[in-house]
Every structure is written in C-alpha cells, then in structure tokens.
Amino acid sequence: MIFKKNLLTFKLFIVLFSILFAYFLSNIVLLFFENYVDTDLDNYTANLVYLSDLNRADSGSFFFYYVLSILSQFLFGSNDVEPYVLFHAVAFISTFIVTLACTWNIRNLNHFLLLFPLIFMVIMSPKLLDVVASNLRAGLALGIFLYAVELLHGYKKIPILILSALMHLSMAPLIGLYVLFQIMDKKAFFRTKPKFLLFFVLVIVTLLGAYTMKIFHPLPLWSNGPLYMLSIFLLLIFIIILKKNIVKSTEGYMFIGIMLLVLWSFMLDYGAIRFFSYALPFIILLAVKNPNKTFIYKLIIGYFPFFILYQYYWLSNSIDLNLL
C-alpha cells in the first residue's frame, strides 16, 4: 500500500514536472522562433489568410491548418492575431507529451535527479526543441508516437501509432522500425543472432527506407554542412561504444535506426535532418531503461560536448555569423 502511494506521488511529480518544463520551453519558442520564416507558425498564419484558396488544399498540412483555423474562429471569433495563442497552446501540448513520454518510466526521485542533466540537455538541443515546440504537426506527431511506445501496451498502441502517422507522414519510418523490432524480438532474432548481423539488417533496412522516402516523398536537398553531419556520426559512434548490446533494446535499436536514416539521407542529398530530432529522445529513454549510475554519468559527460556544439551552431546561424 505504501509502495503504491509513493509510486502515485512520484507519477504526479513527473506530470507536474512535464507541465512546468513544457511551459518553460514553449515560452522560449515564443521568444526565439516567432521570427523564423521556416516554422509552422508562419505557415499557419499564412494558411489562415489563404484558406479560401482551393489550390492550397493539395498540401498535406492543409487539413491541419484548416482545423486550427476553425478552432481559432470558434474560440476568438477572429483569425488575425489570435493564432499566436493557439500556436503557444499546441507547442505546449506537444512539448508536454514528449517530456512526459521520456520521463514516465523513471523509477524514483533519485533516478530522476540523476537523469535531470541529461533530460535538460537533450530536450534543449535545438533540433529537438525546434520540432517539439516550433513545428506544430511534427511535434504533436512525435509526442503521440513516443506516448504510444512508452506508455501503452499491446494492441492499444496500434491506433495511436496510426494517429501519429496521420498527423505527420514522417512518423511512418519510425513506425516501420518499431514494428520490425517487435517482429524480430518475438522471433527471438536478437537472442540468437550476433550483433554484427543485427547492425547489418539495420543498415540495409534504413538505406532502403531513405531511398524510398526520396522517391515517394521529395524534400529539398541536404542543407546542413559536413561538420554538423560529422557531429551526428560521432554521436552515433559514441552511443554504440558506450552501451553494450545497444541494438538489442527497443530504445537502442530505434536510436541507431533513426540515426542511420539521417546518415543515408545525407549521402543521398535528401533533406531529412528532421529525423535527427526524432532520434534524440531515445538517448533519454536509453538512460531511463538502464539505471546503472556509471552508464548514466558517462552518457551525461559524453553528450555535454555535443550539447554545447549544437547550441553554438544554432546561435551562430541564428545571428548569421556563418561560423560553421
């Protein structure tokens, strides 16, 4: 009885932390992202103006913007200025769900305090922050996907995973990787095959996935520089070296698979850098599911230089210094 009471109290603490953290991050977005021309906020406000233009209805995001416009008119009776309020609300919701999914399975307060520096650095990483708190559909879709994977069990996951893909098509490759892992896990593939073979399967699957995306879902050419790409590759190598048998866990498998999608996209000159954002939460989940203190300390210390680098890269480009 005491254990259940303590567990309930801690879960309430996690929910409260997720709410406060999401509020903090969504306000950062209002300060730093409103003037970015490539965020969903600008697309959203533009679509509110041009919703009567049926030529725009072929956009995959048109229905999403249309629903938000109806909601804006219902709540405020106008869609001129108030979209900023709705943007703040959607940014808060998506950030809350992602934070909750990443922290829900933390075991106790001591475990949480140990993980907090990693949680802060990963979620504050500009690429992830941009997705969960600046891009409306992608942030919600990622939150829904992580919620299904981390908080739901059995067949309850299926409709929520489908919902995430309907919200944003970029969730489809993540769902494919997750389903493939579940199939191989049930077939005892991970327990009977060497790690090299598992990596080889991931390499081939992600290559086919990246090539298929490039054919059927064209995107602009890769825009990030080679130094940034090198940092992504080094982060992948660091995590692989740090965690033995990483490919045999759901979180490790997903992290490696998504990072390989990013690497293949770079080689194919396909602008899918968004998937790097999708990989980052799995760093937290790796530490949540592996409560070994030594592993967590090494992960925090090892990720810190990447965190500083990504902040530097983001700020230098934001103020147009073109340092990288």
Side-chain angles (χ1 to χ4, degrees), residues 75-140:
L75 293 175
F76 309 111
S78 169
N79 55 14
D80 295 329
V81 180
E82 305 301 343
Y84 284 84
V85 178
L86 273 184
F87 170 73
H88 182 271
V90 174
F92 168 81
I93 292 171
S94 60
T95 311
F96 165 73
I97 298 174
V98 169
T99 306
L100 183 68
C102 288
T103 56
W104 183 254
N105 290 311
I106 294 177
R107 302 188 176 194
N108 51 50
L109 184 58
N110 290 333
H111 191 200
F112 172 83
L113 294 175
L114 183 63
L115 285 169
F116 179 76
L118 182 66
I119 296 169
F120 180 84
M121 288 192 296
V122 170
I123 298 183
M124 283 294 293
S125 296
K127 285 298 182 184
L128 180 57
L129 183 61
D130 187 19
V131 166
V132 300
S134 174
N135 291 276
L136 302 184
R137 291 191 303 126
L140 278 176

Side-chain angles (χ1 to χ4, degrees), residues 223-293:
S223 60
N224 294 83
L227 289 179
Y228 196 89
M229 195 62 236
L230 177 61
S231 73
I232 293 176
F233 175 73
L234 292 177
L235 177 60
L236 173 60
I237 296 301
F238 165 70
I239 298 295
I240 291 175
I241 293 174
L242 182 63
K243 177 60 180 173
K244 184 180 179 181
N245 293 327
I246 182 176
V247 74
K248 296 188 177 183
S249 68
T250 305
E251 296 75 26
Y253 178 91
M254 292 297 298
F255 175 78
I256 294 174
I258 299 171
M259 292 287 275
L260 286 174
L261 277 175
V262 177
L263 293 175
W264 285 125
S265 297
F266 170 71
M267 295 179 186
L268 295 171
D269 201 14
Y270 178 66
I273 187 63
R274 185 194 303 268
F275 284 92
F276 178 51
S277 309
Y278 299 161
L280 291 174
F282 290 97
I283 296 178
I284 300 176
L285 295 172
L286 271 171
V288 169
K289 298 297 179 66
N290 297 274
N292 181 276
K293 289 185 178 181

Side-chain angles (χ1 to χ4, degrees), residues 142-213:
L142 179 62
I144 292 169
F145 174 83
L146 291 174
Y147 177 85
V149 171
E150 294 300 316
L151 275 74
L152 299 180
H153 302 281
Y155 292 106
K156 294 179 181 178
K157 295 182 179 184
I158 296 176
I160 307 302
L161 289 173
I162 294 174
L163 176 62
S164 71
L166 292 175
M167 181 66 67
H168 203 285
L169 191 59
S170 61
M171 291 298 109
L174 274 65
I175 295 173
L177 284 172
Y178 182 73
V179 171
L180 180 62
F181 176 88
Q182 297 301 319
I183 292 174
M184 291 195 296
D185 191 42
K186 290 185 182 299
K187 298 291 185 179
F189 193 83
F190 294 102
R191 293 188 294 272
T192 59
K193 306 298 180 182
K195 288 186 294 183
F196 172 79
L197 181 58
L198 302 179
F199 277 112
F200 181 76
V201 170
L202 263 182
V203 167
I204 298 301
V205 167
T206 51
L207 172 60
L208 293 175
Y211 191 72
T212 301
M213 288 190 297

